[in-house]
Amino acid sequence: MKKPIFMPLILAFIVLIVLVIIPNKWIESLIPKNRISEAATQLNPFMFQGKYVQGIMLEDPKYLPIYGSSELARLDRFHPSNYFQVANDGFTPFLVGRGGSESLIHFLNFSEHLGELKGKKIVFVLSPQWFNPNGADESHFVPNYSSLQGYDFAFNNTLNPEVKKKAIKRLLTYSSVKDDPMLSTLYKSEISNNPWTKEEATLVRPFALAYRSLLEKKDLYYTFAGGTKRGRDISPTLRHKTWHQLELEAEQYGAVRATNNHFYIVNSQYNNIKSFLPSLKNKNIHGSYGKSKEYGDFQLVLDVLKQAGAKPLFISVPVNGHYYDYTGFPKKGRTDYYHRIKKQIEAEGFQVADFSGHEYDPYFMKDTIHIGWKGWVYTDRAIKQFYNGNDKKLVRLN
């Protein structure tokens, strides 16, 4: 006898309804107790785009959140997550970010956890490449954007209204926001004086709240499922070594991994670019990171952290000077960025570990743009000083 063709659809619908009506507390009770510690180095995008894991992490004093982008995934032995596990300095780094996680993405994330950031020490790694003239483009913003954080932002009534309006105007330039009819209606009502726009938002609000509830439940299910463990290089030999000894070891470590080029780029990365390297010669003679929309986006990050009462340490990462000189990227276009970003951070009373003086330092960078072995040693030192309370004035490391 032929099975009813609609039976699988009916069963799927019933399962969906069950999953939706299960109380959140029940799902939370099923989440393994070690899920937060597992997530600390998994760099799981579902965690970045959710709020459950980060909310618990921020309330636990043993975690030191480190926010950034693609450099966080380079888990060599000098990386903060690996070094501090060996050094056992009383805290566990918790990594938040991946490639394309630029200022606006972090701003939405921080806005999500405004109350939990009060008094919390955090580390924020800056990449000069974010500060191209147009700032974050669609290809970087869209994959990292969180609908849950976007909807929570719409209903956030604690954030400074002026900061919120500036952010909304910027967010509405991206397709994942402006093409969402409910969310864009809510956002537009915040920045418009049009009575009809306000009325539309009133009509949409109950449906938006219901959708946000579904997104929260989805976050819990993803948390229950967990992420994938990443490979790490944890070296117990680093324990009890002085910073000078660590610096020398990092140089030696890099020296045997960057042998086939004069840029001090790790061999595997150089092999990926050497075939088209001649085409990059003097390609960026008009380049500059001194002027960018990203500065406005970054100011939103500073504003929300200041309102939250967070205690951030910013890591100002240099570029690979040898490579940037080869591509013709002007020195001024780099130094303008270093000076401007440092001034912008310090104007808000925050601390910055400025490593801009290490552009030409061998093995400070791992490739053309990412901090590497020796760079991580300097970062580890700055983090340790900051965490131990020396956050009023960091030892000059540049």
Side-chain angles (χ1 to χ4, degrees), residues 282-395:
N282 293 324
K283 184 180 180 180
N284 295 323
I285 58 174
H286 300 297
S288 176
Y289 296 141
K291 294 182 179 179
S292 171
K293 290 182 180 179
E294 191 72 20
Y295 287 102
D297 297 343
F298 181 60
Q299 186 60 48
L300 293 172
V301 169
L302 297 175
D303 290 340
V304 72
L305 290 177
K306 193 163 189 177
Q307 181 182 343
K311 297 180 179 180
L313 167 66
F314 292 92
I315 307 294
S316 181
V317 177
V319 301
N320 183 322
H322 303 282
Y323 176 78
Y324 267 64
D325 286 349
Y326 179 84
T327 65
F329 199 108
K331 183 75 172 176
K332 186 178 185 301
R334 289 128 62 175
T335 56
D336 283 352
Y337 159 76
Y338 298 137
H339 295 155
R340 182 173 178 179
I341 203 69
K342 186 172 186 288
K343 184 178 179 181
Q344 189 174 3
I345 293 167
E346 292 182 338
E348 301 300 334
F350 296 142
Q351 295 295 307
V352 56
D354 179 10
F355 297 142
S356 59
H358 294 278
E359 275 197 351
Y360 298 100
D361 198 343
Y363 318 117
F364 198 91
M365 305 298 289
K366 187 173 185 178
D367 50 35
T368 61
I369 60 174
H370 297 109
I371 195 166
W373 314 284
K374 189 175 177 180
W376 281 133
V377 171
Y378 276 73
T379 301
D380 294 338
R381 183 184 178 190
I383 289 174
K384 181 175 172 64
Q385 291 177 323
F386 175 69
Y387 185 82
N388 287 343
N390 301 325
D391 53 325
K392 293 299 180 183
K393 186 177 182 180
L394 294 173
V395 173

Side-chain angles (χ1 to χ4, degrees), residues 68-317:
S69 52
S70 54
E71 72 285 334
L72 297 183
R74 283 146 178 81
L75 289 161
D76 66 59
R77 64 183 56 185
F78 304 100
H79 185 288
S81 289
N82 294 336
Y83 170 72
F84 285 111
Q85 179 164 324
V86 170
N88 193 24
D89 282 313
F91 64 90
T92 299
F94 193 104
L95 308 178
V96 183
R98 64 170 180 167
S101 298
E102 300 181 13
S103 298
L104 271 179
I105 296 298
H106 289 297
F107 167 76
L108 282 174
N109 196 6
F110 290 142
S111 299
E112 178 78 89
H113 300 284
L114 199 63
E116 295 147 336
L117 284 164
K118 184 174 178 58
K120 185 75 175 181
K121 287 188 176 183
I122 69 170
V123 176
F124 192 105
V125 183
L126 284 161
S127 294
Q129 296 75 28
W130 296 358
F131 293 81
N132 66 74
N134 294 318
D137 59 18
E138 287 277 326
S139 66
H140 289 89
F141 179 83
V142 173
N144 293 293
Y145 166 72
S146 163
S147 292
L148 174 56
Q149 292 174 3
Y151 272 85
D152 276 347
F153 185 70
F155 294 108
N156 188 327
N157 296 318
T158 58
L159 189 66
N160 181 301
E162 292 305 312
V163 172
K164 187 175 182 181
K165 288 179 181 179
K166 288 179 183 177
I168 285 174
K169 290 176 182 177
R170 185 77 170 105
L171 289 167
L172 282 169
T173 64
Y174 293 99
S175 61
S176 47
V177 175
K178 66 183 178 184
D179 293 343
D180 182 327
M182 288 196 297
L183 187 60
S184 60
T185 298
L186 293 175
Y187 279 5
K188 288 174 184 176
S189 72
E190 296 264 4
I191 58 175
S192 172
N193 293 320
N194 187 320
W196 173 239
T197 303
K198 300 285 188 183
E199 184 64 27
E200 275 187 308
T202 301
L203 295 172
V204 162
R205 190 173 297 271
F207 300 99
L209 284 168
Y211 183 58
R212 182 178 71 163
S213 296
L214 290 176
L215 292 173
E216 289 174 335
K217 196 173 293 289
K218 177 184 174 184
D219 178 31
L220 291 176
Y221 282 123
Y222 278 139
T223 303
F224 171 74
T228 303
K229 187 177 181 180
R230 283 182 175 265
R232 300 170 63 183
D233 180 7
I234 299 174
S235 176
T237 62
L238 301 186
R239 185 181 287 114
H240 305 311
K241 289 191 175 181
T242 66
W243 292 114
H244 180 64
Q245 290 171 330
L246 287 169
E247 185 179 337
L248 291 177
E249 184 165 334
E251 288 179 348
Q252 295 167 2
Y253 192 86
V256 299
R257 288 164 174 78
T259 60
N260 64 355
N261 63 91
H262 64 283
F263 300 116
Y264 301 100
I265 295 171
V266 65
N267 291 346
S268 58
Q269 290 297 317
Y270 180 74
N271 289 336
N272 290 335
I273 66 171
K274 67 179 181 179
S275 63
F276 56 87
L277 193 62
S279 67
L280 301 178
K281 180 73 172 176
N282 293 324
K283 184 180 180 180
N284 295 323
I285 58 174
H286 300 297
S288 176
Y289 296 141
K291 294 182 179 179
S292 171
K293 290 182 180 179
E294 191 72 20
Y295 287 102
D297 297 343
F298 181 60
Q299 186 60 48
L300 293 172
V301 169
L302 297 175
D303 290 340
V304 72
L305 290 177
K306 193 163 189 177
Q307 181 182 343
K311 297 180 179 180
L313 167 66
F314 292 92
I315 307 294
S316 181
V317 177

Side-chain angles (χ1 to χ4, degrees), residues 10-47:
I10 294 171
L11 288 175
F13 182 73
I14 292 172
V15 170
L16 177 62
I17 293 298
V18 171
L19 291 175
V20 169
I21 64 174
I22 291 177
N24 288 359
K25 289 294 182 181
W26 288 14
I27 306 171
E28 290 178 28
S29 68
L30 297 173
I31 295 173
K33 299 298 182 185
N34 64 343
R35 182 64 77 233
I36 311 304
S37 60
E38 288 178 343
T41 55
Q42 286 180 344
L43 293 163
N44 185 351
F46 294 133
M47 180 272 294

